[in-house]
Amino acid sequence: MADIKAAFEQALKDVKTLTKRPSNDDLLSLYSLFKQGSDGDVSGARPGMLDMVGRAKYDAWAKLKGTGKDAAMQKYIDKVKSLLG
């Protein structure tokens, strides 16, 4: 378990070294996996209709409900590796 947390922390650093901006879908995926891996299932109310960005983030995170923290961390690590390619 400590190994996955260390790899997750490294992936958080590595994602900042990307040379080009990921697509919006990739950014949403990274965001939702990060939130699920660090905070667990989505909490709070869904943002209103006028907050399109907040709503998209909330919805992406909500799709991961029930995914374990370790599984989300591993998916985040894998996603960062694929983007660094």
Side-chain angles (χ1 to χ4, degrees):
M1 179 140 154
D3 292 339
I4 196 157
K5 288 191 180 206
F8 183 67
E9 293 293 326
Q10 186 59 48
L12 292 174
K13 293 175 188 169
D14 292 346
V15 77
K16 294 175 185 172
T17 67
L18 291 172
T19 54
K20 70 175 194 166
R21 186 179 189 275
S23 69
N24 287 339
D25 287 340
D26 287 337
L27 287 172
L28 272 177
S29 179
L30 286 170
Y31 172 81
S32 61
L33 289 168
F34 168 76
K35 292 295 279 182
Q36 188 71 21
S38 49
D39 296 342
D41 286 342
V42 69
S43 60
R46 187 176 186 219
M49 231 193 243
L50 298 177
D51 183 2
M52 289 181 266
V53 173
R55 199 172 175 99
K57 286 179 168 183
Y58 183 93
D59 290 346
W61 185 12
K63 286 179 186 175
L64 296 176
K65 188 172 186 170
T67 303
K69 286 186 175 187
D70 288 347
M73 284 185 205
Q74 187 59 54
K75 288 180 183 178
Y76 182 90
I77 293 162
D78 295 342
K79 185 71 170 175
V80 170
K81 284 181 183 175
S82 74
L83 291 172
L84 289 170

